Amino acid sequence: MDKIKIAIAGIGNCASSLIQGIEYYKNKEENNAIGLMHWEIGGYRPFDIEVVAAFDIDERKVGKDVAEAIFALPNCTAVFCPELPKTDVIVQMGRILDGVSEHMVNYSDNRRFIPSTEKEADKESVVQQLKDSGAEILLNYLPVGSEEATKFYAECALEAGVAYINNMPVFIVSNPEWAAKFEEKGIPIIGDDIKAQLGATITHRTLADLFHKRGVKLERTYQLNTGGNTDFLNMLNRSRLASKKESKTEAVQSVVGQRIDDDNIHVGPSDYVPWQNDNKVCFLRMEGKLFGDVPMNIELRLSVEDSPNSAGVVIDAIRCCKLALDRGIGGILYSPSSYFMKHPPKQFTDDEAHVMTSDFIKGTRDN
């Protein structure tokens, strides 16, 4: 089958894991392909994805082949596929806007973004690059808090006529005004904010759903996360956190049955610990009442490599998006969004979303 041609905005840790994974699974068969939810979707396998355009703003990545740029600082994720062939796709200078937080200048060069001095791209040049490359889908992997930059690339996708997968917590797909723009042009979109394969949010949601189904009243809960990648450094600037906190909190609130008072739920990043690099540690506590109003609580510690934890989910999102393109389906892809994203336009339990997405893949459900 033809390759699925993707463009990526933001060549950070998540993009690194995704691109490594595309190459890594070329040497696997279905029976030993650990870490995938689906080996094949609509005839497309993980390695049937090809990066044809890439944008970043860091001087250590701009101008380099994508296969080299994904290992450049400040990226710090696990390297599980070190031998990547050159892609002949050069990382282009993107648009900074609000993509770099001012407080980063106080940290080591190895940890922060260093903006390139090259001229920033304008909308016309990005749109032209998307068209010339033959990209079918644009992936947004910008840093948390990049509200204006995310909207910039969403506009570029609209003008270029390419599908858009919003992997970070700026509300595009779940914003009716933005969703209507893609609907009007018949362009498929998936979002917002990627849900990891087995991370803090999916674990918290599963336990909250279990409490609800087993008749346990969940009264108080917190989810505290620490990490050492650029996302956690970015989130030290609390002004960049509003949409991220809402995304993670609503992902849990949506499955508890009866909403928890705001004072009794806290979900979000807790601190930046440089030596953790791309490893995220989640501390989870849930307090509730059982039969007879007898109290109980559960505490859990989860440690995961953050970026590979999302890459397998994105590989499925890309292939579902391609199915929509093949089938002539535009606008919001509700089923994949509900299964793959923390803040979709419509929330469902993960069991419901799994069935809906399976039906979408089989072609018995439109979106």
Side-chain angles (χ1 to χ4, degrees):
M1 299 182 72
D2 291 338
K3 294 284 188 180
I4 306 172
K5 296 181 178 180
I6 65 169
I8 301 177
I11 308 300
N13 286 309
C14 289
S16 176
S17 293
L18 172 66
I19 293 164
Q20 288 185 69
I22 292 169
E23 183 67 23
Y24 181 79
Y25 285 100
K26 285 181 181 177
N27 299 315
K28 298 290 182 180
E29 301 290 339
E30 184 174 4
N31 61 357
N32 69 349
I34 295 169
L36 294 170
M37 293 186 290
H38 298 91
W39 172 250
E40 188 176 292
I41 293 180
Y44 297 104
R45 295 159 298 178
F47 45 85
D48 291 324
I49 299 168
E50 178 184 11
V51 180
V52 296
F55 305 92
D56 203 275
I57 57 85
D58 195 288
E59 67 176 19
R60 292 160 292 189
K61 298 174 184 176
V62 174
K64 292 184 178 177
D65 188 285
V66 165
E68 182 182 1
I70 64 169
F71 299 122
L73 291 171
N75 289 7
C76 58
T77 193
V79 176
F80 57 89
C81 187
E83 302 298 327
L84 288 184
K86 281 199 169 186
T87 64
D88 293 326
V89 175
I90 302 300
V91 178
Q92 303 296 310
M93 179 63 182
R95 189 72 174 270
I96 298 176
L97 295 169
D98 56 355
V100 179
S101 183
E102 293 176 358
H103 77 283
M104 278 193 162
V105 298
N106 300 318
Y107 290 83
S108 159
D109 288 355
N110 290 351
R111 296 290 174 179
R112 68 182 181 95
F113 302 131
I114 303 178
S116 171
T117 56
E118 282 197 26
K119 182 182 177 182
E120 292 183 48
D122 56 20
K123 187 190 297 183
E124 290 72 23
S125 63
V126 173
V127 169
Q128 195 60 52
Q129 178 69 16
L130 291 173
K131 289 180 176 180
D132 291 345
S133 68
E136 300 169 279
I137 303 167
L138 174 60
L139 273 62
N140 177 27
Y141 269 137
L142 298 180
V144 171
S146 305
E147 300 270 341
E148 295 306 315
T150 291
K151 292 173 184 177
F152 169 80
Y153 283 104
E155 284 283 2
C156 292
L158 278 167
E159 291 202 16
V162 303
Y164 193 62
I165 299 178
N166 185 34
N167 293 313
M168 49 86 67
V170 170
F171 304 143
I172 299 293
V173 184
S174 53
N175 179 317
E177 183 179 336
W178 276 100
K181 294 179 182 181
F182 283 88
E183 185 79 41
E184 184 181 345
K185 289 200 169 186
I187 300 171
I189 48 172
I190 295 177
D192 297 303
D193 196 11
I194 193 70
K195 192 189 295 175
Q197 186 173 9
L198 210 157
T201 297
I202 188 66
T203 301
H204 204 165
R205 276 174 60 93
T206 300
L207 288 172
D209 186 47
L210 181 64
F211 271 54
H212 177 54
K213 288 176 177 174
R214 304 297 291 181
V216 181
K217 179 175 174 55
L218 180 59
E219 295 189 319
R220 286 179 295 274
T221 185
Y222 64 65
Q223 181 199 123
L224 307 178
N225 299 292
T226 66
N229 59 27
T230 46
D231 245 7
F232 277 90
L233 176 55
N234 238 318
M235 291 186 289
L236 286 180
N237 181 346
R238 292 321 203 202
S239 67
R240 301 177 71 89
L241 267 183
S243 57
K244 182 68 173 178
K245 195 170 188 306
E246 179 182 342
S247 176
K248 288 176 72 67
T249 302
E250 285 304 311
V252 177
Q253 286 277 33
S254 66
V255 295
V256 296
Q258 182 178 347
R259 288 182 70 88
I260 304 170
D261 290 342
D262 289 345
D263 286 349
N264 291 328
I265 181 170
H266 176 84
V267 182
S270 175
D271 209 349
Y272 170 65
V273 183
W275 60 261
Q276 280 185 227
N277 291 319
D278 196 40
N279 179 253
K280 180 166 81 172
V281 177
C282 163
F283 301 92
L284 180 63
R285 182 176 174 88
M286 304 172 75
E287 298 181 1
K289 285 184 178 175
L290 300 161
F291 185 81
D293 283 342
V294 176
M296 59 79 65
N297 67 74
I298 182 171
E299 289 196 351
L300 177 149
R301 179 185 182 276
L302 173 69
S303 175
V304 291
E305 194 75 5
D306 206 19
S307 300
N309 204 12
S310 72
V313 182
V314 174
I315 275 181
D316 279 13
I318 292 168
R319 292 183 288 172
C320 283
C321 201
K322 174 61 173 172
L323 286 189
L325 289 168
D326 289 347
R327 296 169 182 171
I329 299 169
I332 299 169
L333 302 184
Y334 287 99
S335 301
S337 292
S338 67
Y339 193 46
F340 301 141
M341 300 289 168
K342 296 186 185 80
H343 197 274
K346 295 180 182 178
Q347 288 275 13
F348 297 90
T349 67
D350 292 292
D351 287 342
E352 291 171 326
H354 178 263
V355 172
M356 291 165 58
T357 302
S358 295
D359 289 344
F360 172 81
I361 291 169
K362 288 184 288 189
T364 58
R365 184 184 183 94
D366 284 345
N367 64 14

